[in-house]
Amino acid sequence: MDFETDDVAAETARLIALGAQEVSQWQECRVLSLRQLEVAGQRAGVVGPQSARAGRGQEPLEKIV
């Protein structure tokens, strides 16, 4: 699962405050363990805007969650 955001640092901090743990970083991307969020064994990426996906009709995360 990936979280796409305009502010990777802020979204990472928000997820860590909810119980996620940062396990690695590559350039602007962060990989988090969601074990403490009752998503056992799952990892998530926090990434900046993905220009290749722009304009394909995806709903913003705020509308989905």
Side-chain angles (χ1 to χ4, degrees):
M1 166 177 16
D2 289 335
F3 293 91
E4 185 175 333
T5 179
D6 291 332
D7 191 339
V8 172
E11 184 65 12
T12 300
R14 183 183 79 81
L15 292 167
I16 289 172
L18 291 171
Q21 294 180 324
E22 186 171 344
V23 294
S24 68
Q25 175 180 346
W26 180 73
Q27 295 181 357
E28 288 294 318
C29 302
R30 306 293 192 281
V31 177
L32 305 175
S33 170
L34 304 179
R35 186 172 309 189
Q36 299 300 322
L37 299 177
E38 296 184 12
V39 188
Q42 294 294 322
R43 293 203 171 169
V46 180
V47 299
Q50 304 295 300
S51 60
R53 293 181 55 196
R56 287 191 177 168
Q58 280 90 6
E59 291 290 325
L61 183 60
E62 298 82 33
K63 290 186 179 184
I64 296 171
V65 174

